[in-house]
Amino acid sequence: MAINTIKFDEKGLIPAIVQDVNTGEVLMFAWMNRESFKRTLENRIMTYWSRSRQKLWVKGETSGNIQEVREVYIDCDADCLLFKVEPKGVGAACHEGYRSCFFRSVNIPDGEFAVVGEKLFEPEEVYNK
Amino acid sequence: MAINTIKFDEKGLIPAIVQDVNTGEVLMFAWMNRESFKRTLENRIMTYWSRSRQKLWVKGETSGNIQEVREVYIDCDADCLLFKVEPKGVGAACHEGYRSCFFRSVNIPDGEFAVVGEKLFEPEEVYNK
């Protein structure tokens, strides 16, 4: 099984890049352990390892913005995964309500930030229910 | 300066996702330290921190496949960077000669790999000169 050749790091984790299968927009970046990767392939729903909560995390279980897996890729060193997903719900990947977690641009060359992303929901209306 | 709000990890590193500015294809994933990020913004050429060689790494310095920086984004937690780049040379991001390091798909749900990417050069012809 190819899954056995995947290189998890010293914490048992591998980075996961998540891209919208329709638009190509990079939506988020998170981490997986072996169990979350297995579940993601089996259930075809993005399931991460939350480093802050130290538990499996089905993306969208609270907000409804689950991500259905369409395509999976692995890099040359077998130590990074790329997922193309179909965002469900209102389609927001970010807990701050934006379509993509990368909703701020960094100015070149001074490094100042500017919000450029599209906000799809107000976090306090979704998470404080 | 926004650069001071960026969260580098316990090793002083931040993940960098690299996307083709024209096609949206995710080309590679690498790491930056503060110095490589500064140089990337200043020189507008992707410059990483090589964890294996423990030194700054100007992508393409050997192969000629440098990456010119066009756009930079940072995620909600300020702990991951996204770069949109213009690939130069033959446009191969991968040291194995492929356009993207993510040249293998992972089958759902059995996890088997298959090469699907486009190979643009033969590594032995470029690196052994």
Side-chain angles (χ1 to χ4, degrees):
Chain A
M1 277 274 287
I3 195 173
N4 293 323
T5 71
I6 292 177
K7 290 180 203 141
F8 294 89
D9 69 10
E10 68 279 5
K11 294 173 184 161
L13 302 178
I14 188 168
I17 301 166
V18 184
Q19 197 175 18
D20 186 309
V21 69
N22 298 305
T23 66
E25 185 176 18
V26 174
L27 299 176
M28 60 181 283
F29 172 81
W31 295 84
M32 288 186 171
N33 63 5
R34 184 178 296 268
E35 179 65 21
S36 68
F37 180 57
K38 271 186 64 182
R39 290 197 190 193
T40 295
L41 288 193
E42 282 167 12
N43 304 328
R44 300 178 192 227
I45 298 286
M46 292 302 291
T47 305
Y48 306 99
W49 176 254
S50 168
R51 295 182 302 169
S52 56
R53 292 179 284 156
Q54 288 284 303
K55 57 180 254 189
L56 290 174
W57 160 40
V58 177
K59 171 74 193 163
E61 60 189 345
T62 305
S63 68
N65 294 300
I66 64 165
Q67 297 166 329
E68 290 184 1
V69 182
R70 290 288 184 268
E71 299 169 22
V72 186
Y73 299 87
I74 189 158
D75 77 345
C76 43
D77 297 326
D79 62 2
C80 185
L81 294 163
L82 171 65
F83 295 86
K84 296 195 182 183
V85 306
E86 181 88 37
K88 295 295 176 176
V90 299
C94 184
H95 69 290
E96 293 194 30
Y98 292 89
R99 184 182 302 283
S100 163
C101 291
F102 297 91
F103 62 84
R104 292 176 296 180
S105 69
V106 180
N107 194 47
I108 307 169
D110 68 15
E112 291 298 328
F113 297 172
V115 172
V116 295
E118 189 184 359
K119 199 169 194 176
L120 301 177
F121 70 78
E122 290 300 329
E124 59 270 27
E125 292 172 11
V126 170
Y127 294 109
N128 295 341
K129 272 180 188 166
Chain B
M1 276 273 286
I3 194 172
N4 293 323
T5 71
I6 292 178
K7 290 181 202 142
F8 294 89
D9 70 10
E10 68 280 6
K11 294 174 183 161
L13 302 177
I14 188 167
I17 301 166
V18 184
Q19 198 176 17
D20 186 310
V21 68
N22 299 304
T23 66
E25 185 176 18
V26 175
L27 299 175
M28 61 182 282
F29 172 81
W31 295 83
M32 287 185 171
N33 63 5
R34 185 179 295 267
E35 178 65 21
S36 68
F37 180 57
K38 271 186 64 181
R39 291 197 190 193
T40 295
L41 288 192
E42 282 168 13
N43 303 329
R44 300 178 192 227
I45 299 287
M46 292 302 291
T47 305
Y48 306 99
W49 176 254
S50 169
R51 296 182 302 168
S52 55
R53 291 180 282 157
Q54 288 285 304
K55 57 180 254 189
L56 289 174
W57 160 39
V58 177
K59 171 74 191 163
E61 60 189 345
T62 304
S63 68
N65 294 300
I66 64 166
Q67 297 166 329
E68 290 183 3
V69 182
R70 290 288 183 268
E71 299 168 22
V72 186
Y73 299 86
I74 189 157
D75 77 345
C76 43
D77 297 326
D79 61 3
C80 185
L81 294 162
L82 171 66
F83 295 86
K84 296 195 182 182
V85 306
E86 181 89 37
K88 295 296 178 175
V90 299
C94 183
H95 69 290
E96 294 194 31
Y98 292 88
R99 184 183 302 284
S100 163
C101 291
F102 297 91
F103 62 85
R104 291 176 297 180
S105 70
V106 179
N107 193 48
I108 307 168
D110 68 16
E112 292 298 328
F113 297 172
V115 172
V116 295
E118 189 184 359
K119 199 168 194 176
L120 301 177
F121 70 78
E122 289 300 329
E124 59 269 28
E125 293 171 10
V126 169
Y127 294 109
N128 294 341
K129 272 180 187 166

